[in-house]
Amino acid sequence: MYVLGIETSCDETSAAIYHSEQGLLGHQIYSQIELHNRYGGVVPELASRDHIRKILPLIQQVIQEAGINKSMINGVAYTAGPGLVGALLVGATVGRSLGWALNVPTIGVHHLEGHLLAPMLEENKPIFPFLALLVSGGHTLLIEVTKIGGYKILGESLDDAAGEAFDKTAKLMGLGYPGGAALAALAEQGKPERFHFPRPMTDRPGLDFSFSGLKTAALTTLQSQPSDQQTRADIAYAFQEAVIDTLAIKCRRALQQTGLQRLVIAGGVGANKLLRHKLQATMKQFNGEVYYPRPLFCTDNAAMIAYAGLQRLSAGQYDDLAIRATARWGLDSLT
Ligand code: KG4
Ligand code: ZN
């Protein structure tokens, strides 16, 4: 079964062809980062318009890359939410209409389900059940995953998401947008132990997170210190260590609480090297294994949407002819 996947929830336009036996056959991502960089964040209206410009050529490209023609497509999966509603509408309209024109089953996929299942695009796939740490620009979630659609949220961020905290702090440091990866790169030149930031909400029980205070801690330190490159790198180091340590502490707690032995790391912050190293060490202590997608599949991409869509289409699920775009959509409402 050939599934066309479409992702337009935020600032990446992406299309993919995934085959049920042969795997990923075509995949393209167009990033709008340059378009939004000068505004210091994603401008929703510009994002929607750019998705309109890019989506059809990208779909044509992945069909060609897969060596098929469009009449061979057996199903369409598009991101139906959560995300920017105008951006989502572009992928939803194109996906639903194409499904109708090709007369194939079509499904609106939950963006976070896509992220959660992204490690399944790799050779070393986790089996159910597992604990998932989903860390993106919009979400920080600890989830007990028992099956496709079996998602129990154990903890989440009460304010900024981990990626958002990285981005806001990077912006304060003049590192552009989205600055998570740039901040992580700067931290590599930093020295340990010069600054120490708190590990929020780790001194009380529970699995929720709060990252907004760390951005303020970084800001006050920045303002009270000389602005040489080494100091900036040392602040980046302390910030990154505080975020990653906090995530690792909560992961350990969740593993103890659930008794799970497999941990999946997904979402854009999952590309962070320190996070991967820390959680690898954690899983060793738990005699378990950690799974994560390659960095390209950590951030937004249509391969994960095609994969998630294939699982649901193969189970006989598909949508009616309505075009669905849902800006706010809880993962735990899925079945
Ligand atoms: O999953 P994603 O592409 O978008 C959302 O669905 O939100 O995640 C993007 C987030 C951004 O906040 C970005 O700064 C962050 O992932 N990110 C990183 C790294 N690479 C991307 N954060 C920390 N370290 C990285 N290496
Ligand atoms: Zn995402």
Side-chain angles (χ1 to χ4, degrees):
M1 179 177 192
Y2 292 98
V3 176
L4 167 68
I6 297 172
E7 157 66 37
T8 65
S9 68
C10 188
D11 56 350
E12 261 99 27
T13 321
S14 180
I17 301 284
Y18 192 94
H19 186 265
S20 44
E21 274 84 49
Q22 297 163 52
L24 188 64
L25 300 178
H27 186 218
Q28 292 291 329
I29 304 178
Y30 175 81
S31 167
Q32 301 180 350
I33 281 177
E34 276 198 20
L35 176 73
H36 302 294
N37 200 339
R38 53 196 276 233
Y39 302 100
V42 178
V43 184
E45 181 59 22
L46 293 183
S48 315
R49 291 182 198 199
D50 208 46
H51 285 311
I52 293 174
R53 278 190 284 269
K54 299 294 181 339
I55 190 64
L56 287 175
L58 282 185
I59 290 173
Q60 268 159 348
Q61 227 173 312
V62 295
I63 289 174
Q64 227 174 28
E65 200 183 323
I68 61 170
N69 58 59
K70 64 177 186 300
S71 62
M72 291 162 76
I73 292 170
N74 309 106
V76 177
Y78 64 86
T79 304
L84 301 170
V85 76
L88 288 166
L89 265 174
V90 178
T93 310
V94 170
R96 183 55 271 189
S97 311
L98 204 56
W100 178 77
L102 298 172
N103 196 21
V104 295
T106 299
I107 191 143
V109 170
H110 195 293
H111 181 78
L112 300 184
E113 178 168 70
H115 274 304
L116 270 187
L117 300 179
M120 305 290 191
L121 295 164
E122 304 297 351
E123 211 127 280
N124 186 24
K125 302 176 197 339
I127 52 166
F128 299 116
F130 55 77
L131 177 72
L133 174 69
L134 206 165
V135 270
S136 70
H139 297 87
T140 306
L141 296 166
L142 267 170
I143 309 157
E144 184 174 355
V145 181
T146 48
K147 56 178 184 179
I148 304 270
Y151 309 125
K152 183 175 169 200
I153 298 189
L154 306 174
E156 62 190 317
S157 179
L158 305 178
D159 43 52
D160 292 353
E164 191 179 358
F166 262 95
D167 291 342
K168 286 181 174 170
T169 305
K171 198 169 164 185
L172 291 173
M173 300 183 76
L175 293 169
Y177 185 90
L183 182 58
L186 182 61
E188 281 185 20
Q189 295 153 35
K191 291 200 207 83
E193 284 169 26
R194 181 166 166 206
F195 301 112
H196 183 84
F197 295 157
R199 276 56 172 155
M201 295 182 71
T202 53
D203 57 352
R204 66 188 100 157
L207 294 170
D208 287 335
F209 304 90
S210 164
F211 289 114
S212 69
L214 279 178
K215 162 194 71 197
T216 317
L219 178 63
T220 25
T221 313
L222 265 175
Q223 285 168 340
S224 64
Q225 296 290 326
S227 62
D228 60 285
Q229 187 62 9
Q230 191 57 52
T231 300
R232 285 160 44 78
D234 295 346
I235 293 173
Y237 184 100
F239 172 84
Q240 170 171 263
E241 211 190 22
V243 175
I244 304 304
D245 238 12
T246 305
L247 291 170
I249 290 168
K250 296 288 163 108
C251 277
R252 278 200 288 275
R253 253 184 222 177
L255 289 163
Q256 269 157 355
Q257 191 177 306
T258 57
L260 290 168
Q261 295 240 295
R262 286 174 290 272
L263 172 68
V264 158
I265 311 174
V269 184
N272 186 281
K273 279 191 225 153
L274 183 66
L275 179 66
R276 290 179 173 213
H277 288 154
K278 269 242 158 91
L279 292 181
Q280 239 153 3
T282 298
M283 286 320 281
K284 246 196 189 147
Q285 291 169 353
F286 279 81
N287 281 327
E289 206 176 337
V290 59
Y291 301 83
Y292 40 75
R294 70 194 83 165
L296 184 71
F297 296 151
C298 280
T299 44
D300 291 348
N301 68 85
M304 66 184 192
I305 301 302
Y307 181 85
L310 170 65
Q311 305 316 306
R312 293 198 170 264
L313 292 168
S314 319
Q317 300 175 21
Y318 58 88
D319 290 340
D320 58 23
L321 287 177
I323 292 168
R324 285 201 173 75
T326 311
R328 286 171 171 273
W329 183 8
L331 184 66
D332 49 1
S333 68
L334 297 187
T335 51

